Amino acid sequence: MFDRKIYIDRRETLRRKVSSGIILFLGNSNADINYQGNSYPFRQDSSFVYYFGLMLPDMAAVMDVDTGEEIIFGNDVDVNDIVWTGPQPLVRELADSVGASSSRTLAALEEYLCEALRKNRKIHFLPPYRHQTKMELNRLLGIPFAAMEDSASEELIKAVIDMRLVKKEEEIAELENAAEIGYRMHYAVMRSARLGMKEQELAGLMDGIAMQYGRMTSFPTILSQNGETLHNETHNQILTDGRIIVIDAGAEALSGYVSDFTRSIPSSGKFNSRQKDIYQIVESANEYFPTIARSGESFESLHLKVARLMLEGLKGLGLVKGDLDEAVSCGVQGLFMPHGLSHHIGLDVHDLSAMGKKYMGFDDTYRKFLGTAQPATAMGKTFKTGYVVSNEPGIYFIPALLEQCKRERKNEAFVNFSAL
């Protein structure tokens, strides 16, 4: 947790961005793996963490925009709970620790919201992404499940995005902490990988380091010699000479801030000449991106500049041909990199993605993807000072995608299929 004043200031800023009504934040609850009491590692809702800093399950909070009242809802533990959990802080103590004005039991939330609805007060909430949260919103506010996404407050969504995307000094420090854990994870694999090992041994090594220095991994670790499958979470192969291990992994610091790195290493410890040629193109793109990323540039323009650089490298190897500017405008790079160059990082590994692509991917200038040059995960909006983003160019040779493109004779003016 940060100092209580940081949370007070954040909520005061949020209150000024919302016109009137009540802001409702529902924290997360434990999620059972296969029976009640055997739960997945708990992860608090990121916006609840951002504004209230409390990492405990079964909590909620409201902010009254008009009166300034702030209430934390939760239940104090009893003796039966203490047997399993040990002594826990009182809810009023938790509320005081983050500067909230008062606390009530969780059961009191329903009565509070019913009273607000009787007075026709606007209740703002963010788009829910967990089924349990959706069920709570249905129970508390009577919103049909099919209407839940459209009922989320656009005013609140835009206000939260505006605040959370620009990282303050204390957040940068926590992101650097998460990055340091990520470095340890990746470096351990680079030092330990040996032919004949199981991928699982290396994945377990990474996950253990994430738990040793932080809360957990920031997402399920991707470590596979079948790296052409972008989100390959299986680790059942033996490290074999001539193959490449693609590792996409990161850590969550104790504060909840996360890291995300993608790196490729040869299974044997040494690239062959073809692998080295491709690796150096991607490495050049990775080093190029930070030199052009600056406030005022759009994600779209940066993605396309890096894409052109990679196509230039592939042309040098005889795999791509023709006019490169025309190739970029036709989206040829999507054949080799079918994902976006970058995404926001913060309390979420794809920060604020739960808010919806129409808010996170675009702004008033960039309302939609242009032409066919944008892969599905690209964003258009402009960079601002304080943004923290990933740097993940890649070149993938995906047989099904290449075969489809060749069969349909798509982009044959730019792709040398025989060499490919």
Side-chain angles (χ1 to χ4, degrees):
M1 282 180 59
F2 298 123
D3 183 84
R4 71 197 295 268
K5 187 176 186 304
I6 288 176
Y7 300 109
I8 293 171
D9 289 346
R10 286 175 177 176
R11 295 194 300 269
E12 179 57 35
T13 300
L14 179 63
R15 191 178 293 109
R16 291 196 298 267
K17 290 176 177 288
V18 177
S19 56
S20 64
I22 292 168
I23 301 173
L24 170 65
F25 289 102
L26 291 178
N28 286 336
S29 298
N30 283 313
D32 297 329
I33 298 174
N34 51 358
Y35 60 86
Q36 190 173 7
N38 183 25
S39 302
Y40 291 101
F42 176 71
R43 180 48 158 89
Q44 183 60 283
D45 174 74
S46 294
S47 289
F48 195 92
V49 172
Y50 185 82
Y51 291 105
F52 294 93
L54 301 174
M55 295 279 198
L56 298 171
D58 301 320
M59 304 196 80
V62 297
M63 296 170 52
D64 191 318
V65 176
D66 305 309
T67 67
E69 183 181 38
E70 299 171 343
I71 307 171
I72 299 286
F73 293 86
N75 295 330
D76 293 328
V77 297
D78 58 21
V79 173
N80 291 328
D81 297 317
I82 290 173
V83 169
W84 299 99
T85 67
Q88 300 293 318
L90 298 174
V91 176
R92 61 175 173 79
E93 295 172 339
L94 294 171
D96 182 66
S97 71
V98 295
S101 52
S102 64
S103 64
R104 300 184 191 179
T105 65
L106 198 57
L109 178 61
E110 183 174 6
E111 181 182 350
Y112 178 92
L113 293 175
C114 284
E115 178 64 20
L117 290 173
R118 280 195 294 270
K119 295 179 179 178
N120 292 319
R121 300 195 67 191
K122 170 70 175 176
I123 298 177
H124 303 267
F125 62 88
L126 296 171
Y129 53 90
R130 286 195 177 186
H131 295 302
Q132 192 164 359
T133 307
K134 293 177 181 180
M135 288 188 287
E136 274 296 280
L137 286 171
N138 174 263
R139 183 181 70 85
L140 293 169
L141 303 180
I143 300 172
F145 291 103
M148 212 156 276
E149 185 176 338
D150 291 336
S151 299
S153 169
E154 183 175 40
E155 188 178 12
L156 179 61
I157 291 169
K158 289 182 175 180
V160 171
I161 289 175
D162 190 51
M163 291 182 65
R164 280 184 53 191
L165 281 192
V166 177
K167 306 302 188 290
K168 304 296 185 183
E169 183 179 348
E170 65 274 5
E171 295 179 276
I172 298 292
E174 287 301 325
L175 286 162
E176 288 176 341
N177 182 25
E180 178 61 33
I181 302 171
Y183 297 153
R184 289 174 184 260
M185 293 164 65
H186 282 261
Y187 188 54
V189 171
M190 293 176 184
R191 291 185 60 183
S192 303
R194 298 287 186 276
L195 293 178
M197 291 181 70
K198 283 186 176 181
E199 295 170 343
Q200 182 180 351
E201 296 177 65
L202 297 174
L205 177 62
M206 297 191 85
D207 290 5
I209 292 171
M211 294 178 68
Q212 183 179 0
Y213 295 101
R215 290 174 56 84
M216 61 183 90
T217 59
S218 48
F219 55 96
T221 296
I222 297 165
L223 186 153
S224 175
Q225 293 171 111
N226 287 105
E228 75 280 2
T229 303
L230 302 187
H231 280 184
N232 193 335
E233 295 174 15
T234 59
H235 314 298
N236 53 12
Q237 298 183 94
I238 303 296
L239 300 197
T240 306
D241 192 17
R243 303 192 70 188
I244 294 175
I245 310 168
V246 176
I247 310 164
D248 187 355
E252 179 175 321
L254 295 175
S255 60
Y257 287 85
V258 300
S259 59
D260 175 13
F261 303 99
T262 304
R263 293 292 182 269
S264 300
I265 62 173
S267 298
S268 65
K270 187 175 182 178
F271 288 121
N272 63 36
S273 59
R274 285 197 305 171
Q275 293 168 344
K276 184 177 180 180
D277 286 341
I278 300 300
Y279 183 90
Q280 287 179 329
I281 295 171
V282 179
E283 185 179 41
S284 296
N286 183 265
E287 293 173 351
Y288 177 56
F289 178 43
T291 68
I292 60 174
R294 56 181 55 86
S295 183
E297 283 277 359
S298 71
F299 275 94
E300 179 186 53
S301 66
L302 294 170
H303 178 96
L304 297 181
K305 287 177 182 178
V306 172
R308 192 190 190 286
L309 180 73
M310 289 199 293
L311 288 182
E312 186 177 336
L314 291 172
K315 185 175 183 178
L317 298 179
L319 302 180
V320 169
K321 58 187 179 179
D323 183 270
L324 292 181
D325 292 330
E326 189 177 350
V328 169
S329 68
C330 290
V332 173
Q333 64 277 1
L335 181 62
F336 303 99
M337 186 174 76
H339 61 73
L341 168 68
S342 178
H343 57 77
H344 289 279
I345 297 180
L347 284 165
D348 306 313
V349 72
H350 282 233
D351 213 19
L352 290 146
S353 286
M355 302 297 173
K357 187 173 286 186
K358 71 177 181 179
Y359 299 111
M360 279 301 300
F362 314 115
D363 55 22
D364 291 340
T365 302
Y366 294 90
R367 295 185 182 276
K368 61 181 179 179
F369 299 141
L370 304 178
T372 60
Q374 302 297 344
T377 55
M379 292 187 288
K381 64 169 59 176
T382 55
F383 270 49
K384 292 183 181 178
T385 301
Y387 281 6
V388 177
V389 299
S390 66
N391 178 8
E392 299 180 279
I395 293 176
Y396 305 82
F397 297 92
I398 303 170
L401 189 60
L402 299 176
E403 289 164 8
Q404 180 189 39
C405 192
K406 183 178 181 179
R407 184 173 61 251
E408 296 176 354
R409 305 186 69 176
K410 185 177 180 181
N411 288 324
E412 60 182 8
F414 304 108
V415 180
N416 187 344
F417 285 103
S418 59
L420 192 60

